[in-house]
Amino acid sequence: MSKRILIIMAMAAEARPIIDQLGLHELPANPQLQSHFPRFQGEFAGKEIVISLNGKSTEYGVDRIGTEFAALSTQSAIVEFAPDLIINAGTCGAFSADADIADIITSDQPVVYHDHRVPLKGFDRFAMGAYPTAYCPEYFQGIEHKPGVITTGNSLDMPDIDRQWIMQNQGMAKEMECAAVAATAHLYGIDFLPIKSVTDHIDIDIELDNVEQFLNNLSKASQKLSETLIRVLTNIK
Ligand code: SAH
């Protein structure tokens, strides 16, 4: 039986290049799910691939970025497709000393949260989380990438307290879904691998970034993400 790989992605714009390049077809909505997670399926390099997106908010018309819908998307796709491996692919922020725009960051270390602070015995460690990754150097053979800590929160900005936590945890990629996807994969005992491409530098004033630059980085990063995913999917045995 061929290996089944589930790829969880938050934003439609991040996923467009990989969906097109793999020639995946969209699956009909599952009527049992109250909330529609757009899903795309196909075969590539002898593997069965399913991409599941967070979907759009009916109230606000935007992608439902962040942890809740990433976890729901992951759990319902696990139940439906029983994957052997879950990849969370997406964009992230990074410190300018660590990575350039569109650089690829993955992780051989547990994924953590930087905005779950509960200073009570036991709850503190539970809140921060430490969800395992299944990094394999062979997956990234011939691919330029940086292994580092991926850190998740539900905000795009970075107040000082979050920055302190990120620095303490030696966070390299700051984003909004990874820990939730990793936690869900862990719950089901399924191997988990994050692959992120940098859209923004978190130590540079975000207001300086104009809209044009953001859109430019998003498409550049998503293109790089797609190329990387194709090479990783090829390398996986
Ligand atoms: N990519 C945009 C941000 C879009 S909104 C940018 O260039 O600023 C945030 C989405 O992109 C989330 O799905 C999150 O996982 C990811 N993301 C990219 N940069 C982020 C950052 N600096 N902080 C948090 N999430 C970030």
Side-chain angles (χ1 to χ4, degrees), residues 10 17 39-40 52 70 74 93 104 111 116 136 196 203 227 230 234:
R39 285 183 179 149
F40 303 84
S52 183
T74 307
I104 294 294
V111 185
H116 286 192
C136 260
K196 301 279 160 172
D203 45 355
E227 288 163 23
I230 287 174
T234 308

Side-chain angles (χ1 to χ4, degrees), residues 2-228:
S2 62
K3 201 169 176 116
R4 287 180 164 213
I5 301 176
L6 170 65
I7 305 174
I8 301 293
M9 301 181 79
M11 298 177 72
E14 291 168 340
R16 199 69 257 169
I18 181 74
I19 292 167
D20 291 345
Q21 281 160 36
L22 292 183
L24 305 181
H25 64 272
E26 184 158 10
L27 296 171
N30 178 343
Q32 281 183 312
L33 298 180
Q34 289 295 330
S35 174
H36 179 47
F37 300 103
R39 285 183 179 149
F40 303 84
Q41 189 169 35
E43 271 192 32
F44 178 71
K47 289 120 202 159
E48 197 184 319
I49 313 292
V50 173
I51 295 184
S52 183
L53 307 184
N54 279 27
K56 282 218 185 316
S57 158
T58 47
E59 290 92 345
Y60 307 105
V62 294
D63 291 308
R64 297 180 298 198
I65 57 174
T67 56
E68 306 90 321
F69 291 99
L72 290 171
S73 165
T74 307
Q75 186 180 38
S76 57
I78 288 172
V79 171
E80 198 160 331
F81 303 106
D84 304 300
L85 172 70
I86 298 175
I87 295 175
N88 174 219
T91 58
C92 65
F95 292 108
S96 49
D98 288 340
D100 291 329
I101 298 299
D103 275 2
I104 294 294
I105 300 177
T106 181
S107 194
D108 53 2
Q109 289 165 78
V111 185
V112 294
Y113 284 105
H114 57 257
D115 68 349
H116 286 192
R117 289 177 289 275
V118 186
L120 295 171
K121 196 170 180 296
F123 290 97
D124 50 355
R125 291 176 60 196
F126 165 75
M128 187 170 84
Y131 301 104
T133 54
Y135 173 83
C136 260
E138 304 89 77
Y139 292 175
F140 289 89
Q141 200 146 41
I143 304 170
E144 231 179 277
H145 67 289
K146 299 179 197 300
V149 172
I150 303 193
T151 175
T152 302
N154 267 307
S155 297
L156 184 60
D157 68 0
M158 185 173 57
D160 273 344
I161 183 77
D162 286 2
R163 174 195 287 264
Q164 283 167 26
W165 273 56
I166 292 170
M167 308 276 269
Q168 255 167 45
N169 289 327
Q170 294 174 308
M172 187 185 271
K174 170 181 179 283
E175 54 74 80
M176 299 174 62
E177 293 86 17
C178 195
V181 180
T184 312
H186 187 52
L187 198 61
Y188 285 84
I190 301 170
D191 278 354
F192 172 75
L193 179 71
I195 305 180
K196 301 279 160 172
S197 179
V198 177
T199 43
D200 53 283
H201 282 136
I202 54 182
D203 45 355
I204 291 169
D205 189 350
I206 252 174
E207 317 236 294
L208 295 178
D209 278 10
N210 58 32
V211 172
E212 206 177 329
Q213 192 186 336
F214 156 66
L215 290 174
N216 190 25
N217 288 348
L218 181 62
S219 81
K220 186 178 170 193
S222 304
Q223 193 50 48
K224 181 71 174 292
L225 192 60
S226 176
E227 288 163 23
T228 305

